[in-house]
Amino acid sequence: MLSLRHIEVFRTVMLVRSMTVAADTLFVTQSAVSKIIRELEEDVGFVLFERRHSGLVPSAEAKSLFVEVERVFLGLDKVSRAAERIRSRREGQLRLVVMPSLSSHFIQGVIRSFSAECPGVGVSLFTYNSPEVIELAASSQFDLGYAMTPIDRDRGVDCDVMTANCVCVLPPGHPLAAKSRIDVADFDGQAFVALAANNSTRLKIDAIFRSANVAPSARFEASWSAGVMGFVAQGMGLAILDPFSAQTAPLSGCEVRPLTRPIDFSFAEIKASHNAPNELTEIFGRHFRTALRALVY
């Protein structure tokens, strides 16, 4: 019965035109090569080689068979290379679900960096509010999620909490843009665009304003950072936002300045606790943290 071993030995003999050299190439004995060629000749029903003083001479039938064998080996090589790509995690699919503040600019840069290392991996990106991100990650519908804290670990997720410093976003031409850093006192009496009242970052901002006896004029608010950015771009007030959303500020002519008093934006990388280890998520997480360290205002 024809086997891949028969085909491999036949191909090697065709290439080197010597039983002895073929045996050395395949790390077997010459008698083993001769035996396999005889078995192959019996299976196919015709002579493959003739022995002459100049060496082995393939028959016309052997030459025709060799053409088909080369096609098989090209296919096997393709399968082998695909297996290597999969083994080295350069192929596959990564499904990400992120909170809105990450979805407009920052995460795309991380995906670009990740894709340079894993060019064969497709990435799907979905955006939901943080509670939904947690639910979707916990149910294993996504490989990796990024959501605002707090996160209930009893929901069946493993999480790695991270922080980044919030920044001040100013409308185009705002007088405070002359300063290199914005102090909490600078917000007193200023037109201010706030995040929604149930936002954890909003709670931190309000607490700092109260402690400093500062009262901005907060006539407008929005539930998403992108909505806040829209108000600021229209000149309707300045804002304090996470640094990820602030990356889009220059697109609308807005200015970004660091704060003299740090306000943490806290979030977490999450995945289902029952998921098996996944090297792709580890690689992506490494690229995420590298980009986070580089995010400095």
Side-chain angles (χ1 to χ4, degrees):
M1 181 178 178
L2 197 64
S3 68
L4 282 175
R5 186 59 172 167
H6 287 101
I7 293 173
E8 180 185 27
V9 170
F10 167 69
R11 179 176 182 267
T12 304
V13 174
M14 282 292 291
L15 291 173
V16 301
R17 302 296 172 90
S18 166
M19 297 281 188
T20 302
V21 176
D24 291 340
T25 302
L26 297 170
F27 300 101
V28 295
T29 64
Q30 181 178 344
S31 60
V33 171
S34 298
K35 179 176 182 294
I36 289 171
I37 291 298
R38 286 197 303 273
E39 290 175 351
L40 180 58
E41 287 178 328
E42 291 174 3
D43 282 336
V44 299
F46 50 78
V47 174
L48 295 171
F49 299 98
E50 296 179 8
R51 291 183 178 273
R52 296 184 184 175
H53 293 297
S54 57
L56 289 180
V57 177
S59 64
E61 293 84 355
K63 292 176 181 179
S64 297
L65 181 62
F66 182 68
V67 172
E68 297 303 320
V69 165
E70 280 297 273
R71 291 176 183 168
V72 170
F73 265 79
L74 284 174
L76 288 174
D77 182 61
K78 184 177 180 181
V79 170
S80 177
R81 283 186 279 111
E84 170 57 26
R85 287 195 299 271
I86 294 169
R87 181 168 57 251
S88 61
R89 303 301 184 186
R90 294 197 299 272
E91 276 196 357
Q93 186 73 22
L94 187 66
R95 289 174 57 82
L96 305 173
V97 57
V98 303
M99 57 192 174
S101 58
L102 281 178
S103 66
S104 60
H105 187 87
F106 179 83
I107 201 71
Q108 287 83 354
V110 178
I111 292 170
R112 180 183 61 189
S113 174
F114 167 80
S115 296
E117 181 174 346
C118 304
V121 177
V123 179
S124 299
L125 176 65
F126 290 78
T127 304
Y128 289 90
N129 286 324
S130 288
E132 296 168 296
V133 170
I134 298 167
E135 290 294 333
L136 290 166
S139 64
S140 296
Q141 295 183 54
F142 291 87
D143 301 301
L144 207 56
Y146 292 90
M148 291 181 65
T149 56
I151 293 173
D152 184 358
R153 295 174 186 266
D154 292 336
R155 305 305 289 270
V157 294
D158 293 330
C159 63
D160 183 10
V161 176
M162 293 173 268
T163 59
N165 288 331
C166 290
V167 294
C168 178
V169 183
L170 304 105
H174 196 282
L176 285 176
K179 301 187 65 171
S180 61
R181 303 176 75 86
I182 307 299
D183 189 72
V184 174
D186 294 326
F187 291 92
D188 196 39
Q190 292 283 348
F192 187 78
V193 184
L195 290 160
N198 61 348
N199 185 288
S200 59
T201 303
R202 162 73 181 271
L203 298 177
K204 295 177 184 178
I205 295 169
D206 287 350
I208 286 179
F209 283 164
R210 284 194 302 270
S211 69
N213 197 28
V214 167
S217 176
R219 293 174 53 205
F220 310 104
E221 67 176 36
S223 58
W224 283 16
S225 298
V228 173
M229 281 292 309
F231 280 120
V232 176
Q234 292 297 320
M236 300 169 73
L238 45 77
I240 295 176
L241 288 176
D242 63 89
F244 310 111
S245 301
Q247 286 186 302
T248 64
L251 299 176
S252 54
C254 296
E255 300 278 352
V256 180
R257 296 291 184 272
L259 299 167
T260 57
R261 183 171 176 179
I263 300 175
D264 287 343
F265 177 77
S266 178
F267 64 101
E269 179 183 272
I270 56 178
K271 49 193 167 186
S273 55
H274 58 269
N275 279 359
N278 183 337
E279 190 176 353
L280 287 180
T281 61
E282 297 301 319
I283 295 173
F284 187 87
R286 171 164 49 82
H287 283 274
F288 187 99
R289 286 161 181 77
T290 298
L292 180 62
R293 288 192 295 270
L295 189 61
V296 178
Y297 283 97

